[in-house]
């Protein structure tokens, strides 16, 4: 049986579109609804309680629009709220977390770097995961200010380049050979990051893995869309829609709504 209800995704803003792009490219047949809670960005500086409340609000919005599965396209919301979300709502959730495992397993220098928000790096879930890799040195760095600049459309600014240099140089000095991007906004900074790090340092993010996991869960639960009709994609933002439109780089439907 086919299920034409949409996949729902949410993020603190426009960054989770990096996850949406991976999901849409792997599952072009699926209808999707994406929520950019940019009015409340950044989540990374909020308390766990606030992040949980915002995650509940976003989930309910998506459930009211008949989402059949929810992708929490935000590391900060996943690491702080996924347990509470799964407890409260009877819908499958897919979360994203920094991709420590592939980096730790493949590192030759036994040293990996993780760039993420304060909320992610301070979360219990993140600590539980890093404890599994005590054989590897993990250099953690909070990406102070990066999400705000991306939300303002200032990806190519001199300020962005200066912030990135100040965060990445100490990691390079510690001999990392993998850089994990632990925030769904950061894949949009890959061109800038590549100007700073040497070629031997590999960049890893979670987008592809999340898309594969979403496909697997939809198939396992038999709720994938097998209809032959053309799929639809909708984007909702509670802030300036132009920044979201620009980052999507497609002719896609963006709606400005107060949620
Ligand atoms: N995209 C969010 C993440 O993956 C950014 C969090 C924030 O708004 O600070 O962590």
């Amino acid at each position: 049986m086919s299920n034409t209800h949409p996949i729902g995704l949410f993020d603190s803003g426009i960054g989770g579109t990096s996850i949406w792009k991976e999901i849409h490219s792997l599952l072009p047949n699926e209808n999707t609804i994406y929520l950019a809670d940019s009015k409340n960005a950044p989540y990374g500086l909020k308390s766990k309680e606030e992040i949980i409340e915002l995650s509940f609000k976003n989930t309910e919005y998506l459930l009211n629009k008949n989402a059949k599965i929810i992708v929490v396209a935000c590391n900060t919301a996943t690491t702080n709220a996924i347990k509470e979300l799964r407890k409260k709502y009877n819908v499958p959730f897919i979360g994203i977390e920094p991709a420590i495992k592939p980096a730790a397993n493949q590192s030759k220098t036994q040293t990996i770097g993780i760039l993420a928000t304060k909320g992610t790096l301070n979360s219990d879930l993140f600590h539980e995961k890093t404890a599994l890799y005590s054989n590897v040195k993990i250099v953690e760095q909070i990406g102070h200010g990066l999400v705000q600049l991306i939300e303002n459309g200032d990806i190519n600014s001199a300020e962005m380049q200066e912030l990135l240099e100040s965060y990445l140089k100490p990691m390079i000095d510690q001999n990392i050979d993998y850089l994990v991007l632990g925030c769904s906004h950061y894949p949009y900074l890959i061109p800038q990051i590549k100007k700073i790090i040497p070629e031997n340092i590999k960049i890893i993010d979670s987008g592809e893995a999340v898309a594969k996991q979403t496909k697997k869960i939809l198939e396992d639960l038999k709720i994938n869309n097998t209809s032959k009709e053309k799929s639809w994609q909708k984007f909702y933002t509670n802030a300036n829609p132009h920044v979201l439109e620009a980052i999507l780089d497609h002719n896609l439907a963006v709606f400005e709504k107060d949620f």
Side-chain angles (χ1 to χ4, degrees):
M1 201 183 86
S2 179
N3 189 324
T4 56
H5 286 186
I7 299 174
L9 302 95
F10 76 83
D11 179 39
S12 62
I14 62 176
T17 55
S18 65
I19 307 291
W20 175 85
K21 285 177 185 175
E22 298 281 357
I23 288 180
H24 182 56
S25 123
L26 188 66
L27 300 165
N29 211 37
E30 293 290 341
N31 301 317
T32 62
I33 296 185
Y34 179 93
L35 274 196
D37 191 17
S38 295
K39 187 173 76 181
N40 293 304
Y43 281 12
L45 296 176
K46 296 192 188 302
S47 67
K48 183 176 171 70
E49 289 69 32
E50 286 172 306
I51 297 168
I52 291 171
E53 276 314 307
L54 291 167
S55 300
F56 285 174
K57 166 189 74 82
N58 296 332
T59 298
E60 282 166 28
Y61 198 87
L62 290 168
L63 291 178
N64 282 333
K65 299 210 171 293
N66 289 325
K68 60 183 172 185
I69 189 168
I70 307 253
V71 178
V72 183
C74 174
N75 292 260
T76 312
T78 300
T79 51
N80 284 277
I82 195 113
K83 287 185 185 163
E84 287 74 11
L85 286 167
R86 289 193 168 126
K87 230 180 272 167
K88 188 166 164 131
Y89 302 100
N90 187 22
V91 63
F93 284 94
I94 311 270
I96 60 166
E97 292 169 28
I100 305 168
K101 187 177 177 182
N105 287 346
Q106 293 171 73
S107 173
K108 298 213 165 50
T109 62
Q110 298 289 290
T111 312
I112 64 171
I114 301 192
L115 189 63
T117 69
K118 186 173 170 212
T120 293
L121 294 178
N122 287 344
S123 67
D124 292 340
L125 194 61
F126 180 77
H127 292 141
E128 279 166 30
K129 292 289 155 79
T130 49
L132 302 173
Y133 300 96
S134 51
N135 54 323
V136 174
K137 183 174 167 196
I138 299 180
V139 185
E140 297 174 20
Q141 174 64 54
I142 297 174
H144 293 290
L146 300 179
V147 167
Q148 290 95 319
L149 285 175
I150 296 168
E151 289 290 323
N152 291 339
D154 290 331
I155 289 181
N156 291 309
S157 61
E159 193 182 349
M160 176 68 85
Q161 207 61 29
E162 274 164 33
L163 282 182
L164 283 173
E165 273 174 28
S166 72
Y167 301 152
L168 297 172
K169 290 223 161 118
M171 290 181 164
I172 301 168
D173 291 344
Q174 293 192 64
N175 204 21
I176 63 162
D177 59 355
Y178 278 84
L179 173 65
V180 178
L181 302 182
C183 170
S184 58
H185 282 69
Y186 298 168
Y188 289 113
L189 303 177
I190 289 175
Q192 285 77 1
I193 291 173
K194 283 191 169 161
K195 283 188 207 150
I196 301 167
I197 61 171
E199 266 177 28
N200 67 304
I201 300 181
K202 292 177 196 65
I203 302 172
I204 297 198
D205 65 65
S206 325
E208 202 185 323
V210 171
K212 284 188 182 153
Q213 178 68 359
T214 307
K215 181 169 188 281
K216 181 180 182 309
I217 301 287
L218 289 176
E219 287 172 358
D220 286 355
L221 298 175
K222 299 191 175 33
I223 53 172
N224 48 323
N225 187 1
T226 52
S227 142
K228 296 273 179 295
E229 265 173 49
K230 191 176 163 10
S231 66
W232 49 261
Q233 321 297 326
K234 289 181 187 163
F235 297 82
Y236 292 84
T237 175
N238 50 19
N240 181 351
H242 301 305
V243 185
L244 179 55
E245 277 159 5
I247 211 147
L248 280 172
D249 193 27
H250 287 260
N251 213 359
L252 291 160
V254 174
F255 303 95
E256 197 179 346
K257 286 267 154 54
D258 193 22
F259 56 84

